[in-house]
């Protein structure tokens, strides 16, 4: 039996699987099995009001779970497979367990492009509910080793495909029944790219639309000091557009935002592991995927 087949078998029996996507590693379960979903929440240590993304094979599979407004369909056609999750009205006959949607009337759907994720979804044949493969409150895992460190004792299979190519969670856009589009979470598919399809996006204001976007969600143990041009004594430093300093690392020596996104979580974990009480982070430009990097840093720096 292939590794993929074995992992699909774990899903069929209600177990959990760590698997790679192009954004970050996910920990997945059978989205249609409420008991498996409950086991997943327990492993994550996740508040149950935080709904999960259902990973599906293609647009047709997504349309079996949600009612997609033409604007949502246009986004799907443009950016799937890829690092975009679409939130839309859940169909009454959706196969996804209500617990996975935390009782909301909406559902988040994603079609990843990562070949291992696609192979797993195809082998399993049903939607896979999968949050990022970290314990709740820690930064997302961008390697199988980090995922195992956080969740290893609770999973039945691990698919290791090396470091996540993008390194930040998917962009999330909600599209209402009347076509109104809101950016719930920034990501590698940038606001500018989404707006070429949707026109001007609203940005989620409060905690109502994106219940999972807890302020301090992506948090290392150390405190973060942002937009720091230079480190102070005793601080670890995360540089950008400059080589790694003696007491730190650089997100990208050349100032490449895509490279910076891919390095962000691994570098936060590494600097956190040094035991430094504060990680000072260089200013990151806000354009392109820089918006998503700044968003994750702001959450990691939020009081908790
Ligand atoms: O890149 C990603 O999206 C990764 C990979 C594994 O796919 N997954 C991921 O899942 O980041 P998670 O659970 O860590 O974050 C999903 C976010 C949460 O903030 C959750 O609240 C939000 O999506 N979400 C899920 N369903 C929603 C819904 N119906 N309405 C609003 N927000 C929703
Ligand atoms: Mg997460």
């Amino acid at each position: 039996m292939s590794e993929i087949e074995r992992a699909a078998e774990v899903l069929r029996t209600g177990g959990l699987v760590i698997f790679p996507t192009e954004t970050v590693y996910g920990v997945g379960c059978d989205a249609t099995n409420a008991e498996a979903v409950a086991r997943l929440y327990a492993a994550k240590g996740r508040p149950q009001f935080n709904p999960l993304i259902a990973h599906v094979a293609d647009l047709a599979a997504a349309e079996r779970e949600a009612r997609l407004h033409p604007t949502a369909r246009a986004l799907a056609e443009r950016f799937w497979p890829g690092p975009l999750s679409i939130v839309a009205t859940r169909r009454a006959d959706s196969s996804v367990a209500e617990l996975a949607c935390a009782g909301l009337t909406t559902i988040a759907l994603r079609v990843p492009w990562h070949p291992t994720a696609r192979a797993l979804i195809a082998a399993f044949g049903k939607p896979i509910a999968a949050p990022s493969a970290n314990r709740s409150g820690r930064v997302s895992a961008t390697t199988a080793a980090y995922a195992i460190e956080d969740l290893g004792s609770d999973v039945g299979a691990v698919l290791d495909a090396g470091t996540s190519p993008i390194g930040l969670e998917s962009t999330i856009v909600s599209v209402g029944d009347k076509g109104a589009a809101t950016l719930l979470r920034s990501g590698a598919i940038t606001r500018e790219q989404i707006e070429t399809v949707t026109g001007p996006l609203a940005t989620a204001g409060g905690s109502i639309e994106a219940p999972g976007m807890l302020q301090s969600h992506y948090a290392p143990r150390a405190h973060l000091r942002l937009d720091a041009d230079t480190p102070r004594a005793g601080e670890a430093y995360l540089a950008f557009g400059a080589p790694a300093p003696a007491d730190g690392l650089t997100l990208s020596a050349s100032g490449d935002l895509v490279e910076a996104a891919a390095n962000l979580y691994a570098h936060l974990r590494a600097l956190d592991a040094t035991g430094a009480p504060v990680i000072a982070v260089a200013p990151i430009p806000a354009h392109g995927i820089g918006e998503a990097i700044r968003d994750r840093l702001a959450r990691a720096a939020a009081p908790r």
Side-chain angles (χ1 to χ4, degrees):
M1 206 190 294
S2 77
E3 234 190 332
I4 296 282
E5 235 339 291
R6 229 166 19 82
E9 196 52 37
V10 169
L11 294 176
R12 271 178 219 115
T13 54
L16 310 183
V17 173
I18 288 170
F19 68 99
T21 81
E22 65 272 24
T23 56
V24 296
Y25 274 77
V27 56
C29 74
D30 178 351
T32 70
N33 176 343
E35 210 178 297
V37 172
R39 207 168 292 134
L40 177 53
Y41 279 126
K44 281 272 300 180
R46 157 167 285 196
Q48 302 229 342
F49 51 78
N50 196 348
L52 305 173
I53 297 169
H55 297 67
V56 295
D58 52 27
L59 177 55
E63 299 217 69
R64 287 196 287 275
E65 311 300 334
R67 270 207 314 272
L68 298 185
H69 183 274
T71 297
R73 205 170 300 129
L75 281 174
E77 277 164 358
R78 175 76 186 277
F79 297 113
W80 281 353
L84 173 69
S85 299
I86 297 175
V87 171
T89 302
R90 181 177 186 276
R91 282 188 189 281
D93 61 352
S94 166
S95 72
V96 173
E98 277 184 74
L99 184 62
C101 305
L104 299 174
T105 56
T106 54
I107 182 169
L109 293 156
R110 175 168 175 219
V111 178
W113 64 243
H114 195 290
T116 309
R118 298 185 67 71
L120 180 64
I121 294 165
F124 181 52
K126 288 193 280 187
I128 299 175
S132 50
N134 53 285
R135 283 191 58 79
S136 192
R138 302 200 62 197
V139 298
S140 296
T142 51
T143 67
Y146 291 147
I148 292 166
E149 188 183 312
D150 272 17
L151 297 164
S153 54
D154 294 307
V155 304
V158 178
L159 297 173
D160 186 347
T163 302
S164 308
I166 293 174
L168 286 182
E169 306 81 359
S170 61
T171 304
I172 306 180
V173 177
S174 90
V175 181
D177 283 337
K178 295 192 177 124
T182 304
L183 184 64
L184 298 183
R185 182 171 74 184
S186 51
I189 309 277
T190 63
R191 170 192 297 274
E192 296 89 333
Q193 287 175 295
I194 300 287
E195 286 181 340
T196 62
V197 176
T198 61
L201 278 168
T203 304
S207 55
I208 295 154
E209 284 190 275
M213 299 304 289
L214 306 174
Q215 264 299 317
S216 67
H217 188 67
Y218 304 93
R221 289 190 191 86
H223 286 282
L224 257 66
R225 189 168 68 81
L226 304 184
D227 295 311
D229 288 308
T230 51
R232 297 176 187 149
E235 289 180 343
Y237 192 59
L238 191 52
F240 177 78
D247 286 324
L249 295 167
T250 186
L251 288 172
S252 169
S254 66
D256 178 340
L257 286 169
V258 171
E259 183 187 4
N263 285 329
L264 180 68
Y265 289 142
H267 284 8
L268 283 177
R269 281 188 185 250
L271 293 181
D272 212 17
T274 67
V278 177
I279 301 171
V281 186
I284 309 293
H287 58 82
I289 196 173
E291 180 179 358
I293 298 173
R294 292 189 62 88
D295 167 72
R296 303 310 190 276
L297 284 169
R299 286 172 202 288
R304 63 194 109 102

